[in-house]
Amino acid sequence: MINISEADVGSSPSVGLTLCVLLWATPGNVHRLAAYEDTVLALVPRHGGKVINRIRRVGEEPGPNEVQIIQLPHRGALDAYMTDPDRLALADVHGEVIARTEVFEVNAVP
């Protein structure tokens, strides 16, 4: 599973979070990664969050297969999403289709 530390997303539980998520598929599993993400990202609104953007790499150049921007109202919402029983039930699929994940907090640039 993803280990997101407070250093990655800040430590204030009352401030909204905007996260950038970079995902790399295991070999041959780009389509399964997309299907897994379709399922788990559908859980984000359950925790007061919103998927702002979701894009996929075109071509075979090195880099993440998918990039997501996700907003959550606070750290507790992120914690609740990460421990959502429906998400945890897919841990085996996550392990099969995702080779690498990077998550960091971002701010919009005016």
Side-chain angles (χ1 to χ4, degrees):
M1 298 307 286
I2 303 168
N3 181 16
I4 302 174
S5 71
E6 287 192 10
D8 295 327
V9 296
S11 60
S12 174
S14 62
V15 177
L17 300 172
T18 302
L19 304 175
C20 179
V21 181
L22 309 175
L23 299 161
W24 285 259
T26 55
N29 283 313
V30 172
H31 296 293
R32 287 186 67 207
L33 177 146
Y36 168 81
E37 291 299 319
D38 288 344
T39 302
V40 297
L41 290 175
L43 304 174
V44 170
R46 181 185 292 181
H47 303 286
K50 180 178 180 183
V51 178
I52 302 301
N53 206 341
R54 184 176 173 200
I55 56 176
R56 294 193 185 113
R57 185 182 63 198
V58 176
E60 298 298 320
E61 292 79 24
N65 298 98
E66 185 163 316
V67 177
Q68 305 163 355
I69 303 296
I70 301 171
Q71 286 183 335
L72 291 155
H74 48 77
R75 174 65 190 225
L78 173 60
D79 293 341
Y81 169 70
M82 296 301 292
T83 59
D84 185 301
D86 291 334
R87 185 177 178 283
L88 293 177
L90 297 170
D92 289 346
V93 176
H94 178 277
E96 293 171 7
V97 303
I98 298 178
R100 177 176 160 196
T101 302
E102 291 185 24
V103 179
F104 48 92
E105 187 173 8
V106 295
N107 289 316
V109 177

